[in-house]
Amino acid sequence: MDRITLGHGSGGRQMHKLIDSLFLKAFSNPILNQKRDSAVLNIGNKKIAFTTDSYVVDPIFFPGGDIGSLAIYGTVNDLSVCGARALYISVGAVIEEGLDGSVLERIVRSMAEAAKKAGVRIVTGDTKVVEKGSCDRIFINTSGIGEVYYEGLSTDKIAPGDSVIVSGPVGDHAISVLSKREGIEFGTIVRSDSAPLDKLIWKVLRSSKKVRFMRDPTRGGLATTLNEIALGAKSGIAIEERDVPVRPPVRQACELLGLDPLYLACEGRVIIIAAKEDGPRILKTLGADKAGRGAKIIGSVTGDRSARVYLNTIAGGKRIIDMLSGEQLPRIC
Ligand code: MG
Protein backbone atom coordinates (compact mmCIF):
# COMPACT_ATOMS: atom_id res chain seq x y z
CA MET A 1 0.00 0.00 0.00
CA ASP A 2 1.25 3.48 -0.91
CA ARG A 3 2.10 6.22 1.55
CA ILE A 4 -0.97 8.23 2.56
CA THR A 5 -1.38 11.64 0.95
CA LEU A 6 -3.88 14.47 1.49
CA GLY A 7 -5.68 13.16 -1.59
CA HIS A 8 -6.68 10.06 0.41
CA GLY A 9 -8.84 12.34 2.57
CA SER A 10 -10.37 14.39 -0.23
CA GLY A 11 -13.65 12.50 -0.50
CA GLY A 12 -12.80 11.76 -4.12
CA ARG A 13 -11.41 8.91 -6.16
CA GLN A 14 -8.32 8.21 -4.04
CA MET A 15 -10.34 8.08 -0.84
CA HIS A 16 -12.81 5.67 -2.41
CA LYS A 17 -9.93 3.48 -3.52
CA LEU A 18 -8.48 3.50 0.00
CA ILE A 19 -11.83 2.63 1.55
CA ASP A 20 -12.56 -0.15 -0.95
CA SER A 21 -9.11 -1.72 -0.98
CA LEU A 22 -8.36 -1.51 2.75
CA PHE A 23 -11.24 -0.74 5.12
CA LEU A 24 -14.04 -2.53 3.28
CA LYS A 25 -11.83 -5.53 2.64
CA ALA A 26 -10.74 -5.81 6.27
CA PHE A 27 -14.11 -5.05 7.88
CA SER A 28 -16.42 -6.44 5.18
CA ASN A 29 -20.02 -7.11 6.17
CA PRO A 30 -23.37 -6.54 4.42
CA ILE A 31 -24.14 -3.34 6.35
CA LEU A 32 -20.78 -1.62 5.85
CA ASN A 33 -20.57 -2.73 2.24
CA GLN A 34 -23.62 -0.63 1.37
CA LYS A 35 -21.42 2.46 1.92
CA ARG A 36 -24.28 4.68 3.02
CA ASP A 37 -24.02 7.90 5.01
CA SER A 38 -25.29 5.96 8.01
CA ALA A 39 -25.44 2.26 8.77
CA VAL A 40 -29.08 1.18 9.03
CA LEU A 41 -29.40 -1.45 11.75
CA ASN A 42 -32.19 -3.70 12.98
CA ILE A 43 -32.21 -3.60 16.77
CA GLY A 44 -35.09 -5.47 18.35
CA ASN A 45 -38.06 -4.44 16.22
CA LYS A 46 -36.64 -0.99 15.50
CA LYS A 47 -34.61 0.33 12.59
CA ILE A 48 -31.76 2.51 13.84
CA ALA A 49 -29.35 4.63 11.81
CA PHE A 50 -25.80 5.01 13.14
CA THR A 51 -23.02 7.23 11.80
CA THR A 52 -19.70 8.84 12.66
CA ASP A 53 -17.58 11.70 11.29
CA SER A 54 -14.45 13.62 12.29
CA TYR A 55 -13.92 17.36 11.87
CA VAL A 56 -10.53 18.95 11.25
CA VAL A 57 -11.62 22.15 9.49
CA ASP A 58 -9.09 24.98 9.26
CA PRO A 59 -9.88 27.72 10.32
CA ILE A 60 -12.04 26.61 13.26
CA PHE A 61 -14.23 29.73 12.93
CA PHE A 62 -15.48 30.86 9.50
CA PRO A 63 -18.37 33.01 8.22
CA GLY A 64 -21.59 31.10 8.84
CA GLY A 65 -20.21 28.52 11.26
CA ASP A 66 -17.40 26.92 13.22
CA ILE A 67 -15.96 23.47 13.87
CA GLY A 68 -18.44 22.87 16.72
CA SER A 69 -21.73 23.48 14.91
CA LEU A 70 -20.30 21.82 11.78
CA ALA A 71 -19.59 18.65 13.78
CA ILE A 72 -23.16 18.50 15.06
CA TYR A 73 -24.89 19.34 11.78
CA GLY A 74 -22.67 17.02 9.73
CA THR A 75 -23.68 14.03 11.80
CA VAL A 76 -27.35 15.08 11.96
CA ASN A 77 -27.33 15.37 8.15
CA ASP A 78 -25.76 11.94 7.60
CA LEU A 79 -28.62 10.47 9.67
CA SER A 80 -31.27 12.64 7.98
CA VAL A 81 -30.35 11.62 4.43
CA CYS A 82 -30.96 7.99 5.46
CA GLY A 83 -34.55 8.83 6.43
CA ALA A 84 -33.77 8.88 10.16
CA ARG A 85 -34.63 11.31 12.92
CA ALA A 86 -31.38 12.19 14.68
CA LEU A 87 -31.67 11.59 18.43
CA TYR A 88 -28.39 11.13 20.28
CA ILE A 89 -24.86 12.31 19.60
CA SER A 90 -21.42 11.67 21.09
CA VAL A 91 -18.62 14.22 21.07
CA GLY A 92 -14.94 13.27 21.14
CA ALA A 93 -12.50 16.17 21.29
CA VAL A 94 -8.74 15.98 20.64
CA ILE A 95 -7.33 19.27 21.90
CA GLU A 96 -3.85 20.69 21.34
CA GLU A 97 -1.97 21.76 24.44
CA GLY A 98 -2.02 25.56 24.71
CA LEU A 99 -5.46 26.13 23.15
CA ASP A 100 -7.03 29.26 24.60
CA GLY A 101 -9.76 28.33 27.08
CA SER A 102 -12.09 30.98 25.69
CA VAL A 103 -11.78 29.43 22.21
CA LEU A 104 -12.76 26.04 23.60
CA GLU A 105 -15.68 27.59 25.47
CA ARG A 106 -16.91 29.26 22.29
CA ILE A 107 -16.80 25.96 20.39
CA VAL A 108 -18.59 24.06 23.16
CA ARG A 109 -21.30 26.73 23.38
CA SER A 110 -21.74 26.54 19.61
CA MET A 111 -22.12 22.75 19.80
CA ALA A 112 -24.74 23.05 22.54
CA GLU A 113 -26.70 25.58 20.49
CA ALA A 114 -26.45 23.49 17.33
CA ALA A 115 -27.65 20.38 19.17
CA LYS A 116 -30.62 22.32 20.50
CA LYS A 117 -31.47 23.62 17.02
CA ALA A 118 -31.31 20.12 15.53
CA GLY A 119 -33.23 18.55 18.41
CA VAL A 120 -30.47 16.14 19.41
CA ARG A 121 -28.93 15.44 22.80
CA ILE A 122 -25.21 15.05 23.37
CA VAL A 123 -25.21 12.06 25.69
CA THR A 124 -21.62 10.86 25.86
CA GLY A 125 -18.16 12.14 25.08
CA ASP A 126 -14.42 11.96 25.41
CA THR A 127 -11.64 14.52 25.95
CA LYS A 128 -7.99 14.07 25.01
CA VAL A 129 -5.19 16.64 25.11
CA VAL A 130 -2.05 16.12 23.02
CA GLU A 131 1.31 17.95 23.11
CA LYS A 132 1.69 21.20 21.22
CA GLY A 133 2.20 20.41 17.53
CA SER A 134 0.57 16.95 17.72
CA CYS A 135 -2.71 18.31 16.35
CA ASP A 136 -3.91 21.72 15.14
CA ARG A 137 -5.90 23.41 17.96
CA ILE A 138 -8.83 21.02 18.04
CA PHE A 139 -10.20 18.01 16.15
CA ILE A 140 -13.71 16.76 16.92
CA ASN A 141 -15.37 13.43 16.27
CA THR A 142 -19.13 13.04 16.51
CA SER A 143 -21.17 9.87 16.25
CA GLY A 144 -24.92 9.84 16.13
CA ILE A 145 -27.88 7.52 16.25
CA GLY A 146 -31.35 8.11 14.92
CA GLU A 147 -34.64 6.36 14.43
CA VAL A 148 -35.48 5.46 10.83
CA TYR A 149 -38.92 6.86 9.91
CA TYR A 150 -38.72 6.45 6.13
CA GLU A 151 -37.56 3.08 4.88
CA GLY A 152 -36.35 1.92 1.52
CA LEU A 153 -34.08 4.78 0.44
CA SER A 154 -31.55 3.01 -1.76
CA THR A 155 -29.61 3.49 -4.98
CA ASP A 156 -31.26 0.19 -6.06
CA LYS A 157 -34.56 2.08 -6.32
CA ILE A 158 -33.22 4.61 -8.82
CA ALA A 159 -34.83 4.27 -12.26
CA PRO A 160 -34.33 5.87 -15.68
CA GLY A 161 -36.16 9.19 -15.94
CA ASP A 162 -35.90 10.00 -12.21
CA SER A 163 -35.21 13.64 -11.42
CA VAL A 164 -32.02 14.89 -9.78
CA ILE A 165 -32.71 17.74 -7.38
CA VAL A 166 -30.29 19.90 -5.37
CA SER A 167 -31.70 21.77 -2.37
CA GLY A 168 -29.81 25.04 -2.91
CA PRO A 169 -26.71 26.79 -4.30
CA VAL A 170 -23.50 24.76 -4.16
CA GLY A 171 -20.03 25.64 -2.94
CA ASP A 172 -20.79 28.26 -0.27
CA HIS A 173 -19.14 26.25 2.51
CA ALA A 174 -15.89 25.59 0.65
CA ILE A 175 -15.51 29.21 -0.48
CA SER A 176 -16.35 30.53 2.99
CA VAL A 177 -13.65 28.38 4.63
CA LEU A 178 -11.14 29.05 1.88
CA SER A 179 -11.59 32.82 1.89
CA LYS A 180 -11.18 32.94 5.68
CA ARG A 181 -8.13 30.65 5.59
CA GLU A 182 -6.37 32.54 2.83
CA GLY A 183 -7.59 36.01 3.83
CA ILE A 184 -9.16 36.66 0.43
CA GLU A 185 -12.50 38.36 -0.09
CA PHE A 186 -14.66 38.01 -3.15
CA GLY A 187 -16.50 41.31 -3.20
CA THR A 188 -18.85 40.10 -0.52
CA ILE A 189 -18.39 37.74 2.43
CA VAL A 190 -19.52 34.25 1.46
CA ARG A 191 -21.18 32.51 4.38
CA SER A 192 -21.04 28.75 4.79
CA ASP A 193 -24.29 26.90 4.12
CA SER A 194 -23.60 24.73 7.20
CA ALA A 195 -27.04 23.86 8.61
CA PRO A 196 -29.11 20.96 9.92
CA LEU A 197 -31.18 19.32 7.17
CA ASP A 198 -33.40 17.23 9.45
CA LYS A 199 -36.58 19.31 9.21
CA LEU A 200 -36.23 20.01 5.49
CA ILE A 201 -35.74 16.32 4.68
CA TRP A 202 -38.61 15.32 6.93
CA LYS A 203 -40.90 17.69 4.98
CA VAL A 204 -39.67 16.30 1.65
CA LEU A 205 -40.26 12.71 2.74
CA ARG A 206 -43.75 13.61 3.92
CA SER A 207 -44.59 15.31 0.64
CA SER A 208 -43.47 12.44 -1.58
CA LYS A 209 -43.47 8.66 -1.32
CA LYS A 210 -41.33 8.43 -4.43
CA VAL A 211 -37.99 9.65 -3.13
CA ARG A 212 -35.45 6.98 -4.15
CA PHE A 213 -32.24 8.18 -2.55
CA MET A 214 -30.59 11.17 -0.89
CA ARG A 215 -27.03 12.19 -0.09
CA ASP A 216 -25.44 15.41 1.12
CA PRO A 217 -22.72 16.63 -1.27
CA THR A 218 -19.94 17.33 1.25
CA ARG A 219 -16.28 16.65 0.35
CA GLY A 220 -15.86 16.18 -3.39
CA GLY A 221 -18.98 18.26 -4.00
CA LEU A 222 -21.90 17.71 -6.34
CA ALA A 223 -19.79 15.98 -9.02
CA THR A 224 -18.33 13.35 -6.68
CA THR A 225 -21.64 12.65 -4.94
CA LEU A 226 -23.45 12.24 -8.27
CA ASN A 227 -20.74 9.81 -9.35
CA GLU A 228 -21.27 7.79 -6.17
CA ILE A 229 -25.00 7.72 -6.86
CA ALA A 230 -24.48 6.75 -10.52
CA LEU A 231 -22.17 3.91 -9.47
CA GLY A 232 -24.65 2.68 -6.85
CA ALA A 233 -27.54 2.83 -9.30
CA LYS A 234 -25.44 1.42 -12.19
CA SER A 235 -27.09 4.12 -14.25
CA GLY A 236 -25.98 7.23 -16.07
CA ILE A 237 -26.92 10.68 -14.78
CA ALA A 238 -27.12 13.78 -16.97
CA ILE A 239 -27.16 17.27 -15.51
CA GLU A 240 -27.63 20.68 -17.11
CA GLU A 241 -24.87 23.15 -16.35
CA ARG A 242 -27.27 26.10 -16.64
CA ASP A 243 -29.53 24.65 -13.94
CA VAL A 244 -26.85 24.06 -11.27
CA PRO A 245 -27.34 26.86 -8.73
CA VAL A 246 -24.11 28.73 -7.90
CA ARG A 247 -24.12 32.13 -6.18
CA PRO A 248 -22.32 34.90 -8.13
CA PRO A 249 -19.55 35.46 -5.51
CA VAL A 250 -18.88 31.71 -5.42
CA ARG A 251 -18.65 31.61 -9.20
CA GLN A 252 -16.36 34.64 -9.15
CA ALA A 253 -14.11 33.00 -6.52
CA CYS A 254 -13.94 29.83 -8.61
CA GLU A 255 -12.89 31.79 -11.70
CA LEU A 256 -10.24 33.63 -9.73
CA LEU A 257 -8.81 30.51 -8.07
CA GLY A 258 -9.28 28.04 -10.91
CA LEU A 259 -11.78 25.92 -8.98
CA ASP A 260 -14.79 24.10 -10.35
CA PRO A 261 -17.98 24.75 -8.33
CA LEU A 262 -19.16 21.22 -9.11
CA TYR A 263 -16.39 19.90 -6.82
CA LEU A 264 -16.84 22.31 -3.90
CA ALA A 265 -18.05 20.98 -0.54
CA CYS A 266 -21.49 21.91 0.78
CA GLU A 267 -22.53 21.43 4.43
CA GLY A 268 -26.22 22.26 4.25
CA ARG A 269 -27.37 20.87 0.92
CA VAL A 270 -28.93 17.60 -0.12
CA ILE A 271 -29.17 15.85 -3.46
CA ILE A 272 -32.50 14.11 -3.91
CA ILE A 273 -33.26 11.48 -6.54
CA ALA A 274 -37.02 11.10 -6.97
CA ALA A 275 -39.59 9.95 -9.52
CA LYS A 276 -40.01 12.58 -12.23
CA GLU A 277 -43.72 13.12 -11.49
CA ASP A 278 -42.90 14.11 -7.89
CA GLY A 279 -40.10 16.52 -8.87
CA PRO A 280 -42.22 19.71 -8.99
CA ARG A 281 -43.90 18.91 -5.66
CA ILE A 282 -40.55 18.27 -3.95
CA LEU A 283 -39.19 21.49 -5.41
CA LYS A 284 -42.17 23.37 -3.97
CA THR A 285 -41.67 21.77 -0.54
CA LEU A 286 -37.98 22.67 -0.59
CA GLY A 287 -38.60 26.24 -1.75
CA ALA A 288 -41.14 26.87 1.02
CA ASP A 289 -38.42 26.28 3.66
CA LYS A 290 -35.59 28.75 4.25
CA ALA A 291 -33.11 25.83 4.19
CA GLY A 292 -34.28 24.82 0.71
CA ARG A 293 -34.41 28.21 -0.95
CA GLY A 294 -32.81 28.13 -4.38
CA ALA A 295 -33.51 24.40 -4.89
CA LYS A 296 -33.42 23.25 -8.51
CA ILE A 297 -34.06 20.21 -10.63
CA ILE A 298 -30.65 19.90 -12.28
CA GLY A 299 -30.98 16.78 -14.38
CA SER A 300 -32.19 13.22 -14.62
CA VAL A 301 -31.20 9.60 -14.52
CA THR A 302 -30.52 8.31 -18.03
CA GLY A 303 -31.46 4.92 -19.41
CA ASP A 304 -27.88 3.81 -20.07
CA ARG A 305 -25.94 1.53 -17.72
CA SER A 306 -22.68 3.50 -17.95
CA ALA A 307 -22.70 4.69 -14.30
CA ARG A 308 -21.25 7.93 -15.70
CA VAL A 309 -22.22 11.51 -14.95
CA TYR A 310 -22.68 13.75 -17.99
CA LEU A 311 -22.75 17.53 -17.99
CA ASN A 312 -24.65 19.30 -20.76
CA THR A 313 -22.73 22.56 -20.89
CA ILE A 314 -24.13 26.05 -21.38
CA ALA A 315 -22.09 26.23 -24.59
CA GLY A 316 -24.03 23.26 -25.95
CA GLY A 317 -21.37 20.59 -25.41
CA LYS A 318 -21.51 17.39 -23.43
CA ARG A 319 -18.76 16.13 -21.17
CA ILE A 320 -18.23 13.44 -18.60
CA ILE A 321 -17.67 14.71 -15.09
CA ASP A 322 -15.64 12.37 -12.96
CA MET A 323 -15.16 12.07 -9.22
CA LEU A 324 -12.76 14.53 -7.65
CA SER A 325 -9.22 13.28 -8.15
CA GLY A 326 -6.31 14.49 -6.09
CA GLU A 327 -6.94 17.09 -3.42
CA GLN A 328 -8.72 20.34 -4.23
CA LEU A 329 -9.00 21.82 -0.74
CA PRO A 330 -7.71 19.96 2.33
CA ARG A 331 -9.29 20.40 5.77
CA ILE A 332 -12.55 21.78 4.48
CA CYS A 333 -14.62 19.97 7.15
MG1 MG B 1 -22.83 12.51 4.00
Side-chain angles (χ1 to χ4, degrees):
M1 149 126 236
D2 296 340
R3 201 178 281 272
I4 297 301
T5 65
L6 283 173
H8 287 110
S10 67
R13 184 158 300 287
Q14 280 168 286
M15 194 183 84
H16 279 271
K17 221 176 124 193
L18 176 68
I19 291 171
D20 290 345
S21 66
L22 184 65
F23 293 111
L24 279 184
K25 237 190 202 159
F27 305 150
S28 179
N29 65 67
I31 300 167
L32 182 70
N33 296 353
Q34 290 175 28
K35 297 210 275 182
R36 293 190 60 185
D37 294 273
S38 297
V40 175
L41 313 167
N42 289 301
I43 298 179
N45 52 8
K46 279 218 149 93
K47 263 199 167 29
I48 300 295
F50 175 44
T51 192
T52 191
D53 218 324
S54 299
Y55 297 85
V56 298
V57 66
D58 171 38
I60 50 183
F61 300 102
F62 46 85
D66 58 75
I67 192 170
S69 53
L70 188 69
I72 300 294
Y73 296 153
T75 286
V76 165
N77 293 347
D78 279 344
L79 294 169
S80 301
V81 294
C82 290
R85 185 164 73 94
L87 293 171
Y88 300 110
I89 286 200
S90 73
V91 173
V94 179
I95 306 164
E96 185 188 19
E97 172 192 20
L99 182 73
D100 197 328
S102 66
V103 169
L104 186 59
E105 275 176 47
R106 208 174 137 197
I107 293 167
V108 170
R109 264 202 304 274
S110 170
M111 293 188 101
E113 254 170 59
K116 202 171 162 194
K117 193 168 163 194
V120 292
R121 275 196 277 179
I122 297 165
V123 290
T124 186
D126 176 53
T127 311
K128 296 280 178 351
V129 178
V130 296
E131 308 93 317
K132 195 158 187 53
S134 294
C135 89
D136 187 7
R137 289 159 289 171
I138 185 167
F139 295 158
I140 298 174
N141 173 274
T142 51
S143 295
I145 61 173
E147 197 176 9
V148 176
Y149 63 87
Y150 186 103
E151 288 183 39
L153 292 170
S154 165
T155 51
D156 294 344
K157 297 270 170 72
I158 295 173
D162 284 354
S163 289
V164 178
I165 304 164
V166 63
S167 69
V170 298
D172 296 8
H173 175 73
I175 295 301
S176 158
V177 169
L178 189 68
S179 59
K180 179 83 188 191
R181 189 193 298 169
E182 306 296 337
I184 336 168
E185 272 183 32
F186 304 101
T188 163
I189 290 175
V190 177
R191 288 172 65 82
S192 168
D193 53 294
S194 172
L197 291 167
D198 56 323
K199 290 173 191 74
L200 185 69
I201 287 174
W202 184 80
K203 285 180 193 167
V204 166
L205 292 177
R206 266 188 36 134
S207 75
S208 168
K209 288 284 159 260
K210 289 180 183 165
V211 175
R212 321 284 200 201
F213 188 75
M214 292 185 288
R215 175 159 287 173
D216 49 343
T218 53
R219 273 175 306 169
L222 187 65
T224 302
T225 305
L226 287 176
N227 267 279
E228 292 165 359
I229 296 172
L231 278 172
K234 300 180 191 72
S235 231
I237 289 178
I239 61 167
E240 303 298 322
E241 188 177 20
R242 72 164 56 83
D243 292 332
V244 175
V246 182
R247 287 187 212 283
V250 170
R251 195 175 292 285
Q252 191 195 333
C254 284
E255 277 163 17
L256 216 68
L257 301 168
L259 298 168
D260 185 339
L262 296 178
Y263 291 91
L264 294 181
C266 307
E267 288 291 342
R269 304 287 178 245
V270 57
I271 296 171
I272 300 165
I273 314 290
K276 187 170 193 256
E277 63 267 30
D278 278 18
R281 188 184 330 164
I282 292 169
L283 208 58
K284 209 174 145 199
T285 305
L286 288 166
D289 191 298
K290 201 174 148 228
R293 210 163 285 162
K296 293 274 270 188
I297 296 175
I298 58 168
S300 59
V301 176
T302 63
D304 74 275
R305 308 304 281 165
S306 65
R308 290 274 193 188
V309 181
Y310 303 95
L311 180 75
N312 295 320
T313 66
I314 292 169
K318 181 178 184 170
R319 64 182 172 95
I320 290 171
I321 53 168
D322 209 342
M323 274 192 191
L324 177 66
S325 78
E327 177 54 281
Q328 187 165 245
L329 303 164
R331 294 183 60 188
I332 207 72
C333 59

